[in-house]
Amino acid sequence: MTSLFARRLTRAAMAATVLTALACRASAPASATSGRTTPPNARGANAAPMLVSTAWVAEHAADRDLVILHVGTKAQYDSSHVAGSRHVSLDDIALPQQPGSLTLQMAGTEQLTAWAVRNGIGDGTRVIVVPHDLNLQSATRVFFTLSYLGAGDRTSLMDGGFQAWKGEQRAVSSSAPAAAPSVTFTPRVRPELIALVGQVETATQDKSRHIVDARLTRFYNGDGGGYPRPGHIPTAVNIPLSSVSVNGFFRPRAELEALFMAQQVDRSKPVITYCHIGQQATLLWFVATLLQRDARMYDGSFQEWSGSTRPIVAPGGK
């Protein structure tokens, strides 16, 4: 009898313990149970795909709320572009260059909002970004800028770019479309997408983030680069921008994942991408986002870092 009572008492105590634990867990804040916050580059459940095909663009080109942005030089645009697209250069979305200042820095909200409105990008507009040539980093800089403005979930990049479009003999033009209709654009700026130099410096010390150098390997190794000190940021790994695409098309996701994992850039901690001036870095940021990594882009990049007294890994590993 005593033994039976003891067993029942033990079971009751265990049940009470389990119920208490469940109650405590239920009452705990979400951050305490998950231990994670939403990455700044996370796309919403109803976000447009980051990449669309030329066929998709051809099918939807006449949609009322669609704007196609053709990214390249004015001469390239004037020679031929996706019919109905509007020209974008990186000067449109960067701070005006001043002597001694950093190159291609993110423009202010007023300048960017005026640019969006001028191109007919409103609060409900679907945006397609088209690279003119096989150099995708200018187009991903535009994509990144729209994400910074809070319009990233409505923005896609046309895989294969204008070269694929033209090769498929789809509609092209050498004339600019009529002025865009009047729209309202409400910026929802995401400054957390941009990593600051202090955050990068901290990451080199506590290794709390993956740092990815998007430059060609020779620059990572310190062979030139045009900056005061050649080399790379300490703890950075190199995933060259040239490795993520073939003939203007992004590699399959499995191959992109393999490129990241080969450098041990897993999902265990956030990613910071950098390059020379914050252009090529947006291409690796784009890929990191595509692979659902928590990612930010260091806008000052190696131009800012090498121009300071912060440590670098110089040629020869010194």
Side-chain angles (χ1 to χ4, degrees):
M1 182 68 70
T2 302
S3 177
L4 178 60
F5 177 76
R7 287 199 300 271
R8 288 177 175 173
L9 185 61
T10 300
R11 288 173 185 168
M14 290 174 62
T17 300
V18 171
L19 289 172
T20 301
L22 290 173
C24 290
R25 183 172 180 178
S27 62
S31 59
T33 56
S34 67
R36 293 180 178 274
T37 56
T38 302
N41 61 323
R43 295 177 70 77
N46 298 317
M50 293 180 66
L51 291 170
V52 293
S53 66
T54 53
W56 188 97
V57 176
E59 181 182 351
H60 293 272
D63 288 1
R64 181 177 179 181
D65 291 328
L66 184 91
V67 167
I68 304 174
L69 301 177
H70 192 104
V71 184
T73 66
K74 187 63 164 59
Q76 289 173 330
Y77 178 81
D78 288 343
S79 66
S80 185
H81 54 263
V82 173
S85 64
R86 300 182 181 279
H87 175 245
V88 176
S89 75
L90 296 187
D91 287 342
D92 297 334
I93 55 174
L95 287 174
Q97 186 71 42
Q98 301 294 333
S101 66
L102 296 174
T103 305
L104 195 66
Q105 295 300 283
M106 185 65 71
T109 304
E110 184 177 348
Q111 178 182 336
L112 293 175
T113 300
W115 165 78
V117 169
R118 189 166 63 248
N119 283 287
I121 301 172
D123 288 336
T125 305
R126 182 83 163 80
V127 184
I128 305 298
V129 180
V130 178
H132 179 86
D133 52 28
L134 305 184
N135 297 312
L136 305 181
Q137 60 267 28
S138 293
T140 54
R141 178 76 192 197
V142 174
F143 186 103
F144 181 86
T145 300
L146 287 162
S147 298
Y148 174 83
L149 282 172
D153 279 4
R154 298 184 276 119
T155 302
S156 302
L157 189 143
M158 189 174 82
D159 203 17
F162 181 60
Q163 299 309 306
W165 180 273
K166 187 168 59 173
E168 294 164 3
Q169 298 185 332
R170 300 189 186 275
V172 300
S173 175
S174 58
S175 301
S182 178
V183 295
T184 297
F185 181 80
T186 307
R188 295 175 175 85
V189 178
R190 305 292 305 280
E192 63 272 21
L193 285 174
I194 296 177
L196 304 178
V197 66
Q199 295 171 314
V200 180
E201 186 170 25
T202 296
T204 67
Q205 296 164 351
D206 64 13
K207 299 179 177 58
S208 57
R209 301 170 189 264
H210 298 294
I211 302 177
V212 176
D213 188 326
R215 298 175 300 164
L216 297 178
T217 300
R218 73 182 189 92
F219 298 121
Y220 174 83
N221 290 335
D223 180 10
Y227 296 112
R229 298 179 296 158
H232 61 264
I233 295 174
T235 75
V237 298
N238 184 217
I239 304 178
L241 75 159
S242 58
S243 66
V244 303
S245 65
V246 178
N247 296 326
F249 290 91
F250 282 86
R251 291 186 180 275
R253 292 196 189 195
E255 293 182 18
L256 295 174
E257 183 69 37
L259 287 172
F260 272 59
M261 292 307 296
Q263 295 297 331
Q264 299 183 327
V265 182
D266 57 17
R267 293 181 177 82
S268 65
K269 53 188 178 182
V271 176
I272 294 174
T273 65
Y274 81 95
C275 58
H276 298 285
I277 58 173
Q279 182 178 351
Q280 298 170 356
T282 63
L283 178 52
L284 268 293
W285 174 89
F286 184 95
V287 173
T289 302
L290 195 65
L291 297 176
Q292 298 182 317
R293 300 296 200 274
D294 179 338
R296 294 155 182 78
M297 191 275 297
Y298 174 26
D299 208 15
S301 278
F302 203 63
Q303 182 183 24
E304 179 178 38
W305 189 275
S306 69
S308 73
T309 58
R310 294 176 175 85
I312 62 169
V313 178
K318 299 179 181 178

